[in-house]
Amino acid sequence: MTDRDAGVPYGQDGALRRPLTFPVVGIGASAGGLAALRRLFEQAPATGGLAYVVILDLSPRHQRQASQELPHCTPMPVIEVNAPTPIEPNYVYVIAPTTSLTMDDGYLGVRAVDRPAGQHIAIDAFFRTLADAHMDRAIGIVLSGTGSDGSVGLARLKAQGGVAIAQLPEDAEYEDMPRSAIASGCVDFVLPAVEIPGKLVALWRDARQIQLPRPEPRAEHIPATAPSTGEARERAIRDILEILAQVHQRVLAAHAPPPVDDRRTGDGEALLQLEQELQRTRDRLQVAIAQSEASNEELQSIKGALRSATGELEASKEELRSVNEELIRVNHELKSKVEETAKINDELQTFFSATDIATVFVDAGLRIKRYTPKAELIFNIIPGDVGRCLLDITHRLEYPELGEDAGNAFETRQPIEREIRSTDGKGYVARVVPYRTAENRIDGAVLTFVDTTSLRPAGERRGQADASVLAPTDVAVLVADGQRQVISASGGVVDLLGYGEHDLLGMRVDALYGEEERDSGQPEHDFAQAGAGIAVEGLRWYSNRRGDRTQCRVALSAIRAQDEVVAYVLLLGASRKGGARSWAGRYEADASVTLRDEFLAVMSHELKNPLNLISVNTELMARLPGVRESSSAIASIETVRRAIRSQTKIIDDLLDMSRIRTGKLALKPEPVDVGMVVTELVEVARLDSASVGIEFRMQIPDAPVMVRGDASRIEQIVWNLLSNAIKFTPQGGRILLMVGVEARYVRLRVQDTGQGIDAQSLPRIFDLFGQGTGHAIGRGGGLGIGLSLVRQLVDLHGGRIEAHSDGPGRGATFTLWLPRFTYPLFGPGESDGRHEAMRWDGLRILVVDDDVGTADGLAQLLELQGASVVVCHDAAHALDRLDAQVFDLVLSDIGMDGMDGYAFARQARALAGADRLALVALSGYARPSDIQEASASGFDAHLSKPLSMDALAAAMRDVLAKRQPQA
């Protein structure tokens, strides 16, 4: 007979276990468990025949306290297990939660383990070891404690045939562990601590009274090698059931009473009780099987949870590593910035010490902040004067207007220059320049004093000589320093170039040359010749104040001192061919430009009115139910929309060109992230049907790339370049947009694989109405305004733009540079909620327009959005309706017959209750003066035709929030 046939158990690892002849009671507790243990052992008999093993999942101090207190609660010996110890009945063994328990061949053993902090599994591990070692002789008890430790171990103990007991939750100081054990469904008895010893003694007494006969020998030979866990469990259950069946038959044979012998009645009752006990044993085995399966599923779930937790820990580790790397990078950048700042400070101090220009930095109260050594010779400044008002310090200048000039510079925010003399006869060019902080705030001024004493005699002598040859009104005399910056100019520049005598001070003479001359290197050639002592004379093209090309006769010479050029003298005269006109004769040109501007404004209005009518009716058609179901109709509507946008852009570009040329285009500088602008516009371009089949690529740094400029104009620049690339790139082509930093500039490069530009057209690509020839004209058409406008806008921002192409069919590259701006507090702004949709439902709207088609079409479009609309075709009728009916919103045209929109708005504002009425102007007149007049007349907003529903919705949100904040 094998060991298995003899009832000798196998452990989880397949090793043979020698069973004990007495039960082993494992007791697990945590917080509050010490009190429960005292009550339990006070009731435990000294000779109950059971061995007790106690584990307290507490701190080492409380563990030692248990070893010290339990001997006072029970007459049984209490042993703290630190080495292999034999298990004997009527003994109490205490083990620490930081050790792992082993039970082999009737011995207790422990070994230290390092469990992660926060994971309470010591009691679970203890119960699993107890179950595997002693199987049906194992009894597990869960006492007071927090958490759920012990519940999983009880499931293993039940699966091995042991008994599970939990303390009554109401009897426990901390009920979490008992409740968790009870909820697992593995607990056989729930008792107060004082009743548990009695139940243990009763269970052991009953178990000893049940004697199971040994099974019959089996024919087949069972190998002594340990089977797998699953096969061992199934075979053990089958063996037990088979043994029970044999026992049942033997008991029936041994104790079956004779049919009619009443004296055997007592034996029959005993047999009946035995059968009932056998049935209960079968039921418990079935429950044990079900609990074993549930325990396996729970173990799989725990294994999955552990695997998930491990994955999360790995992810957290990677995140921490990434954060650490980012911190290292930021620290390195900050260190670099500190070093760069220190270097700049050193260079600034070196510059202050080396410069020959007397410079004083003052704050808004003219108090001295810092100064250069040369300033000490003029103002008698000493280091202790920092913080004093400059006007309180004596100086050698004949400059009583110093305080007044500084005040004017602060007020006008424009530099002020003046030629002055000192008490010792020296001449200076004084310049007061207000300076701005990074927050665009005037925080003081820089005063510079350039000594012109050594240059003035030579300039005066040369000027007198030239004046004898040319009349004063026909010649301009410019004196420049060795760096070619103008330090003096005669009154002739007014007639020749339109500049005042002081307008050119500080400007490089190269900037006066025509653009083509600058591109060809003519200024460098002329000044190199003059510096070498070679007289430079002849005809040159220059650029006047308005940007027009003017041909002048020129004579350029250099003044040398100690083999160095210290000054240049440039004489400009009117060309004999009449290429240069007198400035006095340009008033007629000014009038012509004004008339052209007015013509463009009127033309814009006349062109935008029909465009607005087409736009409104197109939007109305797009919202009709039948149109939405027709793909051809939708395509046609999109074509019309694209044509409207194209025509509107041409008109707007013409107006912008007019504003730039007349100096009426004002920029609103603010920090702008060029990378974000490019990203947003590329996303818009991808949605345009004209870009279907074109691949867009972007190379944009992760960090913001900032410039200081007008955000709307920067978008206009980028969009014109992008739409130009789309227009000239066929399907299957590629457009690449790259944003980067190059020294003090932000560089944007737009590169396409389109038609390219021929060599003859490339120099004129930025000219107004300048286009390529032949096949170089794009599929989208155009007047050649966009690129010219781009160059003008880039110039206004202090940048430059270049175009390059290797020829037809080889694509084109446009590169622009804008001055970089370091914005110190760059960060995400707060959302203003403008992304929310405009709700038109229930709005009462009055539409006023003398164009019947436009008014009716707009009304139908608004009614489709849910608004209630009334239409009036003249201002007088509209005023009557306003007097008789309440409206939330009025949309009014400006250029109407009879009473125009401005007069209508003024009278509407005079009506009762008009303070809650929102007035919006709709007009093709979109000049700044038109918008200002609309605002002065009482309009809350001004929208340019053709009307966009998105723009209208955005304007409505603003004006209704202002006029009706509770709506």
Side-chain angles (χ1 to χ4, degrees), residues 527-539:
F527 281 94
Q529 292 284 93
I534 302 173
V536 177
E537 296 182 355
L539 294 175

Side-chain angles (χ1 to χ4, degrees), residues 100-259:
S100 176
L101 176 67
T102 60
M103 295 182 178
D104 291 307
D105 295 329
Y107 276 81
L108 286 175
V110 294
R111 66 174 183 272
V113 294
D114 186 15
R115 292 194 176 94
Q119 294 189 6
H120 302 287
I121 59 173
I123 300 174
D124 279 329
F126 165 57
F127 283 163
R128 286 197 296 270
T129 303
L130 179 64
D132 293 340
H134 301 296
M135 304 181 74
D136 58 346
R137 294 295 175 90
I139 301 176
I141 301 176
V142 175
L143 298 181
S144 171
T146 59
S148 61
D149 197 7
S151 300
V152 177
L154 285 182
R156 172 70 70 83
L157 189 142
K158 286 292 295 180
Q160 296 288 21
V163 178
I165 301 176
Q167 183 182 4
L168 184 68
E170 291 76 6
D171 182 58
E173 184 176 352
Y174 294 90
E175 61 184 24
D176 291 349
M177 281 175 51
R179 287 197 180 278
S180 178
I182 295 170
S184 69
C186 299
V187 175
D188 297 303
F189 304 97
V190 179
L191 301 170
V194 295
E195 297 180 11
I196 292 176
K199 175 58 71 174
L200 293 174
V201 173
L203 288 174
W204 175 228
R205 183 181 62 248
D206 294 341
R208 284 182 294 180
Q209 291 177 356
I210 299 176
Q211 297 293 332
L212 297 179
R214 300 178 66 85
E216 294 291 336
R218 300 177 61 175
E220 65 273 17
H221 175 71
I222 301 177
T225 56
S228 64
T229 303
E231 293 176 353
R233 184 183 296 112
E234 292 179 5
R235 186 171 299 171
I237 293 171
R238 286 198 302 269
D239 290 344
I240 291 171
L241 291 176
E242 185 175 338
I243 291 171
L244 288 174
Q246 294 176 8
V247 170
H248 187 197
Q249 294 298 328
R250 292 182 183 181
V251 171
L252 289 177
H255 299 281

Side-chain angles (χ1 to χ4, degrees), residues 870-892:
V870 175
V871 177
C872 294
H873 298 300
D874 61 81
H877 184 204
L879 289 173
D880 294 338
R881 294 303 298 264
L882 283 176
D883 195 26
Q885 187 176 349
V886 177
F887 291 92
D888 299 308
L889 173 66
V890 176
L891 303 175
S892 174

